[in-house]
């Protein structure tokens, strides 16, 4: 089983087939026309090294988030931001809100951190119980809490008032909170809901242009933080020129592309509802409500592995979610795409589930 | 002073001027037409994640170097390869053949390695004295030797027969040799001269497409090594998807672009000779012979800083080389470019040097 979704290459190599990829969570609108136009025009920017300080890039991101450029750090995808943070901070005792994205644990292992887990319960439909989480912080001395919001793979989002309570406790305990907000732009009115609205020196926010702007192949992530000390530690670990010139150029074009952004909001609102309402009518599965662009599903009568295989035979990739901590062999995660593909997916999914195991 | 050459952005920001950049060492032929054509055609590959195993990319590199795909590791520029190697190996006691590229030392500091230096002497015109180096290895217990060949900033190259002696001693002492060959393609008949011709499990070779193929803004480096254990350690530190899809696609196009490669050989042969022969006629400087696409120069009557400033006023960037270990305030490094620019450079350079300090 693959550690992550989206490995379409293996299938292309092994069977020569192009797959419909419901295993990775990318905006189906694809690469924006504006970006493509500018890329075509500016191919020669490859002949120069990137700006080692990425001033223009960081300015665009600072403007987009209405903060100072000093509070922005950029990376080769969110992944570099995560690894830089962990290598910079070198946490010893970490609480991981789980099930969640597996790279946090991989990054933490490179610095040999002790990892504890706060289990988000299935019986609460994977909603985070903030009161319990705060209790756990009070009783223990963690130097870092890692949380993904909205969370991958559960799709659940902790609203600002409840997040505020958590951050108050983080501030009181003088611990740190690493908050992965790489899927937040898919949430309606996300600007009112981001942790950026809560001023705290103990919070580090990770974002990416990967998912919302459909450029996972270009690699551009960033971090937002008002704690100079954290940024200084990260920069001391940072490799020069890690963001390529195309990615560096893309930010100002994409972040100001109102048309693409509006179209995306309309799409996600409509398709999330459509897909969810169709899915809940299918027997023998449990569908968890989502706040973002993917849906977690529990199979009640079969193993994820078997279903994934059946779907693959029909040229559709879905994410076997059984290797997420605290999930089991019955979980899958699917992306939300455009209407045409969602219909193809639904038809195939229903057919595969009709066949008794 | 900048840590590296090529920071044209600072000047563009501060004075609005486009500079002629003689401070970074990039093939003046620019981005190959074939690559540009394929990039324009394939902008939509950005919507998928890179292949986490980079099979096609590593195949192209393996073919180019006539080795097995298992012996190839790829990275976001040579820089990622360097940092992965150092983080993977975690050397404790390292010998750095100096003066050389400063990132080795920065990478070594992230793992708190003890660094010793083998000084390459100016009185020997910066040629490496292999016998002395071997003596030093015999007397000490280093777990890693780091060497750049051809060396930045001296332009000197250690030929295969002498490199063989060094590697024999490395093998005898069971230490490791990290060999940076990122400038080797500029050397005539480099395929007969690369360390790849010497079979040793203790040698790691670093390469890049950055310089020879003029794509420093795209970020693509690689490592060649037959030691599975080293590659395994590096992969355990590796962040997924660090090479973007355009860079990943570029390798097969560039490495098979015979026309671009042949044209580049012709250019470097001609312009190296032209620029060197003109430079040695200029008074009050010492010009060191080079095997690659940049030239180290010692100013005999003034400080590098003053000259760099004067050249900048005339819109030409040169590399103040005084922050390389064992060099002093009198050294500069310049790139070799095309005839038109070399003439502009020479005229301006001679003018600046004519003015008495």
């Amino acid at each position: 089983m693959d550690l992550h979704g989206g490995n379409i290459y293996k299938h292309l190599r092994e069977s020569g087939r192009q797959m419909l990829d419901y295993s990775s969570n990318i905006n189906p609108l694809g690469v924006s026309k504006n970006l493509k136009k500018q890329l075509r025009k500016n191919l020669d920017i490859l002949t120069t090294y990137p700006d080692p300080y990425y001033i223009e890039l960081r300015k665009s991101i600072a403007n987009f988030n209405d903060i100072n450029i000093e509070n922005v750090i950029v990376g080769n995808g969110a992944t570099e931001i995560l690894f830089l943070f962990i290598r910079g901070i070198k946490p010893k005792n970490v609480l991981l809100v789980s099930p969640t994205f597996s790279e946090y644990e991989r990054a933490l292992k490179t610095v040999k951190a002790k990892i504890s887990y706060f289990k988000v319960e299935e019986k609460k439909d994977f909603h985070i119980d903030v009161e319990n989480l705060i209790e756990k912080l009070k009783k223990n001395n963690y130097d870092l809490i890692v949380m993904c919001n909205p969370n991958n793979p559960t799709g659940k989002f902790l609203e600002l008032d409840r997040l505020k309570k958590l951050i108050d406790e983080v501030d009181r305990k003088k611990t740190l909170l690493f908050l992965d907000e790489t899927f937040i732009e898919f949430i309606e009115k996300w600007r009112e809901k981001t942790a950026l609205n809560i001023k705290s020196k103990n919070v580090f926010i990770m974002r990416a242009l990967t998912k919302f702007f459909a450029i996972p192949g270009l690699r551009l992530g960033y971090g937002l933080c008002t704690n100079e000390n954290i940024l200084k530690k990260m920069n001391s670990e940072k490799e020069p020129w890690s963001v390529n010139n195309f990615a560096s150029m893309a930010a100002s074009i994409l972040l100001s592309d109102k048309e693409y952004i509006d179209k995306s909001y309309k799409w996600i609102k409509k398709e999330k509802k459509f897909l969810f309402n169709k899915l809940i009518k299918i027997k023998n599965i449990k569908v968890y409500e989502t706040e973002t662009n993917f849906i977690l599903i529990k199979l009640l009568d079969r193993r994820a592995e078997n279903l994934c295989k059946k779907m693959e035979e029909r040229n559709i990739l879905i994410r076997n979610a059984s290797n997420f901590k605290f999930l089991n062999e019955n979980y899958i995660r699917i992306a939300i795409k455009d209407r045409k593909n969602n219909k193809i997916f639904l038809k195939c999914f229903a057919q595969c589930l009709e066949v008794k195991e």
Side-chain angles (χ1 to χ4, degrees), chain A:
Chain A
M1 185 169 40
D2 280 320
L3 190 57
H4 300 286
N7 192 356
I8 52 172
Y9 302 92
K10 202 177 68 180
H11 295 275
L12 198 59
R13 274 195 305 274
E14 287 170 6
S15 62
R17 288 178 301 160
Q18 283 286 0
M19 307 293 281
L20 177 55
D21 184 13
Y22 268 72
S23 73
S24 67
N25 310 311
I26 302 303
N27 187 336
L29 294 189
V31 184
S32 97
K33 277 181 205 158
N34 282 336
L35 178 59
K36 284 201 228 177
K37 196 174 140 191
Q38 291 304 321
L39 286 174
R40 272 189 212 102
K41 264 190 184 171
N42 289 285
L43 295 174
D44 282 317
I45 61 172
L46 295 184
T47 59
T48 57
Y49 275 90
D51 172 8
Y53 307 105
Y54 293 103
I55 302 287
E56 293 305 319
L57 170 58
R58 286 164 59 223
K59 256 190 208 165
S60 302
I61 292 166
N63 285 343
F64 181 70
N65 289 290
D66 199 17
I67 57 167
N68 293 326
I69 181 172
E70 293 75 26
N71 303 134
V72 179
I73 184 167
V74 293
N76 176 29
T79 319
E80 189 194 358
I81 297 293
L82 165 67
F83 276 77
L84 275 182
F85 180 88
I86 298 300
R87 283 185 182 125
I89 298 301
K90 295 183 182 59
K92 291 195 167 58
N93 195 9
V94 183
L95 185 68
L96 204 51
V97 181
S98 301
T100 196
F101 183 51
S102 63
E103 282 297 317
Y104 310 137
E105 193 153 341
R106 236 191 111 232
L108 287 164
K109 279 179 180 164
T110 66
V111 297
K112 301 189 170 56
K114 181 183 169 245
I115 301 172
S116 307
Y117 300 92
F118 179 79
K119 185 179 177 181
V120 177
E121 302 280 349
E122 197 274 339
K123 63 184 173 200
K124 292 179 186 165
D125 278 352
F126 295 113
H127 282 288
I128 293 180
D129 185 332
V130 174
E131 286 68 33
N132 268 346
L133 178 54
I134 290 174
E135 275 310 300
K136 192 151 180 152
L137 296 198
K138 280 185 177 160
K139 279 185 198 150
N140 296 276
N141 284 318
Y142 304 111
D143 46 11
L144 175 67
I145 326 297
V146 175
M147 197 168 98
C148 183
N149 198 38
N151 187 35
N152 174 8
T154 63
K156 290 296 185 284
F157 185 66
L158 195 61
E159 296 289 340
L160 199 66
D161 55 336
R162 310 185 66 227
L163 187 60
K164 176 80 171 63
K165 284 183 191 165
L166 175 63
I167 293 176
D168 284 347
E169 183 58 28
V170 162
D171 287 343
R172 234 184 327 263
K173 284 285 261 187
K174 290 191 173 61
T175 177
L176 291 175
L177 175 65
F178 179 92
L179 205 62
D180 177 348
E181 289 192 349
T182 50
F183 286 103
I184 200 169
E185 292 97 333
F186 291 105
I187 292 185
E188 218 177 350
K189 296 185 182 168
W190 66 271
R191 283 182 182 280
E192 300 169 12
K193 300 177 179 182
T194 162
L196 208 53
N197 295 301
I198 304 167
K199 305 295 169 217
S200 166
K201 293 266 182 204
N202 301 313
V203 178
F204 183 94
I205 298 172
M206 181 169 82
R207 298 266 186 82
L209 276 76
T210 308
K211 291 125 206 304
F212 189 81
F213 292 103
I215 50 162
L218 191 56
R219 319 304 303 132
L220 181 56
Y222 62 92
L224 306 174
C225 183
T226 55
N227 189 324
E228 277 172 45
N229 192 30
I230 292 176
L231 293 172
K232 205 175 139 191
K233 282 177 183 171
M234 289 173 75
N235 279 318
S236 78
E237 296 281 330
K238 195 161 169 50
E239 300 165 20
W241 315 298
S242 63
V243 177
N244 69 77
N245 285 350
F246 287 153
S248 189
M249 187 185 83
S252 68
I253 298 162
L254 295 176
L255 296 175
S256 63
D257 194 339
K258 215 180 156 311
E259 196 190 324
Y260 185 95
I261 294 173
D262 285 347
K263 250 177 138 172
S264 301
Y265 288 152
K266 276 180 198 149
W267 150 73
I268 185 68
K269 199 172 173 178
K270 208 173 90 183
E271 288 309 311
K272 194 170 67 175
K273 206 169 153 184
F274 170 78
L275 195 56
F276 185 80
N277 286 338
K278 292 285 186 190
L279 284 169
I280 52 173
K281 285 177 192 148
I282 296 174
K283 276 181 205 164
N284 288 325
I285 62 171
K286 179 171 177 183
V287 187
Y288 300 92
E289 272 192 87
T290 183
E291 303 264 4
T292 183
N293 67 326
F294 49 81
I295 299 175
L296 184 69
I297 296 171
K298 188 178 182 180
L299 308 174
L300 303 177
D301 67 344
R302 68 193 68 204
R303 291 162 57 90
E305 199 185 342
N306 299 350
L307 181 68
C308 289
K309 216 176 145 195
K310 280 213 172 69
M311 294 289 285
E312 272 176 41
E313 286 164 9
R314 287 160 175 82
N315 296 340
I316 298 180
L317 283 183
I318 57 174
R319 175 72 155 89
N320 180 344
S322 60
N323 62 349
F324 283 94
K325 192 160 186 93
F326 302 130
L327 297 189
N328 63 28
E329 67 275 15
N330 300 117
Y331 287 90
I332 60 164
R333 190 195 67 197
I334 60 160
I336 300 173
K337 291 189 181 282
D338 58 355
R339 182 64 55 97
K340 189 185 136 209
N341 283 313
N342 288 340
K343 279 183 172 172
I344 296 172
F345 168 81
L346 279 166
K347 195 176 161 186
C348 178
F349 189 61
Q351 280 172 353
C352 286
L353 285 170
E354 262 169 31
V355 184
K356 283 249 159 66
E357 282 281 283

